[in-house]
């Protein structure tokens, strides 16, 4: 039988989409750190080539005192990291919930299979095999899905960080 029912398959698609957004947020949060470092080193940093904002906002930012520029940049980066962390918690929660749902569905399917089987078929199997199939094996399948989610999320991070590094200007 299939591991995923229709509800779990839809949740899988949603989790893939949320992991994609999470990787984008992670990349943006990492990309803000060199901007802060550049602002700390050179307070006359030209941000127009990094941030495509309205020039009125940048003009107001350039007219601020150096300590105010750094403070605003740090607050901006802290907000980005807080949003990213909250979103990451949401993604991990959904992934774990889906893993538990898949394990429960598979366990329920095994249980219903054994309940609806004839007595002769059940008597041929060992009790330990039945209990292992219902309990242990379903947990292993759930762990496989959990590890799949982790590897998928990390691969997305590598892809997005690689793309970000392709656009970085290495000239100092």
């Amino acid at each position: 039988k299939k591991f995923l029912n229709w509800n779990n398959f839809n949740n899988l698609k949603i989790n893939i989409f949320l992991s994609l957004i999470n990787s984008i947020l992670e990349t943006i949060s990492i990309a803000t750190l060199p901007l802060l470092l550049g602002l700390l080193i050179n307070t006359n940093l030209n941000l127009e080539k990094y941030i495509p904002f309205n020039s009125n906002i940048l003009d107001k930012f350039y007219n601020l005192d150096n300590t105010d520029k750094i403070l605003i940049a740090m607050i901006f980066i802290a907000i980005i990291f807080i949003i990213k962390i909250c979103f990451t918690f949401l993604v991990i929660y959904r992934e774990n919930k889906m893993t538990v749902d898949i394990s429960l569905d598979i366990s329920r399917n095994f249980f219903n299979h054994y309940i609806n089987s004839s007595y002769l078929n059940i008597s041929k199997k060992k009790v330990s095999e039945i209990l292992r199939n219902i309990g242990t094996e379903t947990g292993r399948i759930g762990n496989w899905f959990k590890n799949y989610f982790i590897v998928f999320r990390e691969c997305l991070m590598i892809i997005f960080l690689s793309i970000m590094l392709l656009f970085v200007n290495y000239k100092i």
Side-chain angles (χ1 to χ4, degrees):
K1 261 189 155 178
K2 292 193 239 179
F3 287 128
L4 298 176
N5 60 25
W6 184 251
N7 187 33
N8 287 336
F9 184 70
N10 286 334
N11 283 336
L12 178 65
K13 291 190 291 188
I14 292 170
N15 284 347
I16 289 172
F17 179 72
L18 291 177
S19 293
L20 184 70
I21 293 173
N22 187 47
S23 297
I24 292 170
L25 286 174
E26 187 82 35
T27 305
I28 290 170
S29 65
I30 291 172
T32 58
L33 294 177
L35 291 176
L36 177 64
L37 186 62
L39 190 63
L40 289 172
I41 294 171
N42 180 11
T43 56
N44 295 324
L45 183 65
N46 184 9
L47 294 176
E48 291 172 350
K49 61 183 177 182
Y50 301 112
I51 305 172
F53 278 128
N54 187 350
S55 63
N56 294 334
I57 295 172
L58 285 177
D59 289 339
K60 290 178 184 179
F61 184 76
Y62 288 137
N63 292 334
L64 292 174
D65 186 24
N66 290 339
T67 56
D68 290 339
K69 286 181 188 178
I70 293 170
L71 181 66
I72 289 174
M74 291 176 83
I75 291 171
F76 179 72
I77 290 172
I79 290 171
I80 288 174
F81 269 89
I82 289 170
I83 290 170
K84 181 206 52 131
I85 289 169
C86 291
F87 198 80
T88 302
F89 281 145
L90 172 72
V91 169
I92 291 172
Y93 171 77
R94 285 190 53 88
E95 288 173 358
N96 288 337
K97 184 178 181 323
M98 185 178 166
T99 301
V100 168
D101 289 345
I102 289 171
S103 294
L104 287 175
D105 285 345
I106 294 170
S107 181
R108 192 176 302 119
N109 287 340
F110 271 124
F111 183 74
N112 288 334
H113 169 74
Y114 289 128
I115 290 292
N116 295 326
S117 293
S118 68
Y119 178 75
L120 289 175
N121 289 337
I122 294 294
S123 63
K124 292 177 185 175
K125 293 191 181 227
K126 295 180 184 177
V127 175
S128 61
E129 181 183 346
I130 294 171
L131 291 175
R132 185 187 72 222
N133 286 342
I134 293 174
T136 308
E137 297 300 324
T138 57
R140 287 183 182 170
I141 293 170
N143 284 335
W144 181 87
F145 274 101
K146 187 175 185 177
N147 292 332
Y148 166 78
F149 288 134
I150 291 169
V151 169
F152 179 74
R153 231 181 318 125
E154 296 301 320
C155 288
L156 278 177
M157 278 303 307
I158 290 171
I159 291 169
F160 278 102
L161 288 175
S162 299
I163 291 171
M164 181 187 76
L165 288 174
L166 289 175
F167 291 107
V168 171
N169 186 3
Y170 292 106
K171 296 178 182 176
I172 296 177

